[in-house]
Amino acid sequence: MNKLLKEKIVSTFLKIYKSQPLVIFSPGRINLIGEHTDYNDGYVFPAAIDKGIIAAVEKSKTNYCSVYAYDKKEEYQFNLDSIEPIPNGGWRNYVLGVISEIQKKGIGLSPFNIVFGGDIPGGAGLSSSAALENSIVFGLNELFQLELSKKDMIFISQKAEHNFVGVKCGIMDQYASMFGIENNFLHLDCRTIEAKAYQIDLKDYELLLINTNVKHNLSDSAYNNRRSVCENVSAMLHKKALRDMTKEELLSIKSKISEEDYQKVLYVIQEIDRTQKAAEAIENGDIKKLGQLIFESHSGLQHQYKVSCDELDFLVDKAKESHVVIGSRMMGGGFGGCTINLIEKDQINNFTSEVSKAYKKKFNNECSIYQVKLSNGTHLVR
Ligand code: GLA
């Protein structure tokens, strides 16, 4: 966690609201493999990171709530009895959505003040939104002793995103952000919401993120559209989710669906399988195999599921050409954000300087390089 940011958030809170707040750190996440599988009841392999959202929260003596977004220098005040989504409301809808979902459970809240800020660039595909939602629900749970479990809280965060932001996301981001374990990846079964933690020995390799610094429009509608394709095709075979469908079963309805949809569903079935194979590779200490599965995942996301973009493909191609990166793929929802790379430790500087130059030349835009540590999930900061 960023200590400097914490100090800034707390001093801003003291300055505006004149009381000592509770402070929460809620991390962003990365995902090793298992993309667009969570809302198909499949498996994912995320980890919480040392970057995220810091929120300061305390009860208010007024009869309204006030939330200050430190990074944007924007304040928003509202009453708890009139919580509605705001058209193009940006960050406000994440906060309001969480409050609304708490209220839907019949839980009454009293006015409060919040200051929040973060150190994950928005649009990087590192789940700043889940980190924000979790920080709010966790903070309110502590402040008002609501006795919500961590599982209750992640579902509140997820529904906030569905109902107030309009993205029908799965549970991976909220889970990883809430339940993260320092130095561990979480092999999560998105049906049972049970995870096995893995402390992975990457041997001569390290994880490296490269941010394209782009976020293409329409990514939200494309996301929801992919999700409905998956749901419609699984309904055709009366399956609860694509997790329950085999390649053979999919083949049996191939003539009834478009080639595009066939490829999308095939991708999901294959990606769920790859995620299981990744767990095996890790257990066998076979990091090269893990890397190969990561490359295959990107190829599926690019050609079958069609959620990549030129900038991401360029970075993955460069990684492949380099021979020092043994696995690379886009991460998260797609259409921009970061690639995740498994790279030879002592080649990081050479590779990053080469790829940065090439990226700049091709897109006339900078890419950013991040190295992250795996962190604990959402928690109070003393
Ligand atoms: C976004 C969503 C997640 C997940 C990923 C793709 O990050 O919030 O639920 O579906 O995309 O794997």
Side-chain angles (χ1 to χ4, degrees), residues 29 31 34-39 127 161 169-173 223 332-333:
R29 64 102 190 89
N31 185 27
E35 220 62 89
H36 290 273
T37 49
D38 59 351
Y39 53 83
S127 288
E161 194 141 339
C169 63
I171 199 66
M172 167 170 74
D173 304 348
Y223 184 94

Side-chain angles (χ1 to χ4, degrees), residues 241-259:
L242 287 186
R243 179 211 184 117
D244 305 313
M245 195 180 286
T246 62
K247 282 185 208 160
E248 293 68 32
E249 286 170 323
L250 173 62
L251 206 52
S252 75
I253 53 163
K254 190 168 194 271
S255 60
K256 299 200 179 84
I257 57 178
S258 68
E259 176 62 20

Side-chain angles (χ1 to χ4, degrees), residues 8 31 63 74 104 132 138 238 242 329:
K8 285 184 188 158
N31 185 27
N63 56 3
E74 288 171 2
K104 276 188 203 160
L132 174 57
F138 193 95
H238 310 287
L242 287 186
R329 61 177 202 88

